[in-house]
Amino acid sequence: MDRPIRVIVAKPGLDGHDRGAKVVARALRDAGMEVIYTGLRQTPEQIVETAIQEDADCVAMSILSGAHNHLFPKVVRLLKEKGADDILVVGGGVIPEDDIPGLIEAGIAAIFTPGTPTSVTIDFIKSNIKRS
Amino acid sequence: MDIRAGLQSGDKRACARLISMVENEDEQAIGILKELYGLTGKARVIGITGPPGAGKSTVTDKLAKLLRQQGKKVGIVAVDPTSPFTGGAILGDRVRMTDLSTDPGVFIRSMGTRGALGGLSKAAHGAVKVLDIFGMDYIFIETVGVGQSEVDIVRLADTVIMVAVPGLGDDIQAIKAGIMEIGDVFAVNKSDRDGAERTATELEMMLDFNIRSQYRPPVINIIAKDNKDVDKLLEAVEKHYVYLVNSGELSQRKKNSIKNEIIDIFKYAMVKAIEEKSQSSSFIEQLISDTVDKRLDPYTAAAKLVEEFRSR
């Protein structure tokens, strides 16, 4: 049976703007994925626990507060500690160009900045999840 | 990953993976469930149902927290609808259960209905078994927001909490057949709103006419978001369980539920067998084309199919 891809869409940190995350969640849904939406102000620990309990293929996070250099790598690190580094991690939001190489280095597979068509994100997730 | 060992040592990844395998109808998962079936039946299974926006997730969150204070381990299966068009879903019940996600004694799993119509997913039975084997003391199953007739939960749960809210229609809604008949405990949530007393009264009046057992479901006014009177709701759930045990209804319910489950699995296997056959079998092809040409009618065609299966 063709199983749906399961994606956690999460908002780490303190900013309260989830319009972008909701647009992405809906686009992923329309692409046939099961989207587990966590809501605002999630800690990295909560996101990682959610990803494990939901047996997710991918964690997609959005940050507009500027805390991405701290929070994105922390999620990657915690997943690794829990032996769950087969989960793909992607990020989006207002991320300065200069910060992107460092985030990729830290294990975030891709960063999607404002203006990225949702189809790009969908295709990236589909072709990069680590489990068949 | 050794799923059997992981399940018994409390590894949440193993539990999560097995639930996925059950959802995806993986043969291996069935094998594991067969092997560990003897370990099931220890958890209390509580269904939470009600219309969309009644506060099912919030009620579940608060009940789970009360049980955690008593040291109980809690599993939650939260079902949301799958799109019939794309197969995708937004599973959003965790938004109301944020602080539970890092509690080591809690396991929450969101599920899409994946085509099932009764308010649950087909894999909900399996997920409950997995959480039971995983050692959860209480398992909550939150249905999709239901309308009037999504009553599958009654076959899975020991106790069904029906969450109602004020202002969703007149009293004729309450006397229609369907979900209003399956509640063992009624909670009128958002009771700080206008009409809460009236909703409770209407439920009580409906229950006055209910003569199906000596047990009368209680109606409890709560405000889940403020944690007001959720403890009374839990008390009512515990009381219902005592009734089930003392009256012998519990074993009757369990027996019915197992019967239904066996029949469901059987039906599913039959349908699958017929579908597989119909790809290759000229007999079924013939039935179909005869019916298309009006040489047969669908009733006779189906009867011939049953006969064919019987004769093997």
Side-chain angles (χ1 to χ4, degrees), chain A residues 1-4 6 22 25-26 28-43 45-46 49-50 52-56 82-87 131, chain B residues 11-13 16-21 23-25 82-83 86-96 98-103 106-114:
Chain A
M1 186 194 139
D2 210 13
R3 81 183 173 89
R6 288 171 66 85
K22 282 177 175 155
R26 177 138 188 210
L28 298 179
R29 182 201 79 173
D30 289 343
M33 301 184 195
E34 285 184 349
V35 178
I36 296 103
Y37 189 75
T38 65
L40 295 169
R41 289 181 269 280
Q42 299 286 299
T43 64
E45 287 79 4
Q46 285 170 335
E49 267 305 313
T50 298
I52 286 173
Q53 292 172 29
E54 299 288 355
D55 194 24
K82 299 262 183 182
D85 45 354
D86 56 345
I87 300 175
R131 275 194 280 132
Chain B
D11 176 6
K12 285 187 173 177
R13 285 213 84 193
R17 184 59 52 84
L18 184 55
I19 293 175
S20 301
M21 288 162 66
E23 270 196 298
N24 298 326
E25 299 175 1
T82 294
S83 161
T86 64
I90 301 266
L91 312 175
D93 292 318
R94 290 190 87 104
V95 174
R96 321 270 172 232
T98 291
D99 351 318
L100 289 176
S101 48
T102 48
D103 183 330
V106 174
F107 189 104
I108 308 173
R109 183 57 176 253
S110 317
M111 281 189 161
T113 51
R114 298 196 185 175

Side-chain angles (χ1 to χ4, degrees), chain B residues 250-291:
Chain B
L250 187 66
S251 47
Q252 195 54 46
R253 276 193 190 207
K254 291 228 188 273
K255 200 174 154 190
N256 278 337
S257 141
I258 286 170
K259 177 181 155 193
N260 285 323
E261 196 186 355
I262 294 172
I263 292 175
D264 279 350
I265 295 169
F266 173 76
K267 271 193 210 160
Y268 186 71
M270 288 305 280
V271 168
K272 235 175 148 179
I274 292 175
E275 275 171 359
E276 272 162 24
K277 260 195 145 330
S278 69
Q279 316 244 327
S280 60
S281 146
S282 54
F283 176 71
I284 297 176
E285 265 317 303
Q286 194 58 49
L287 288 180
I288 295 169
S289 61
D290 283 353
T291 311

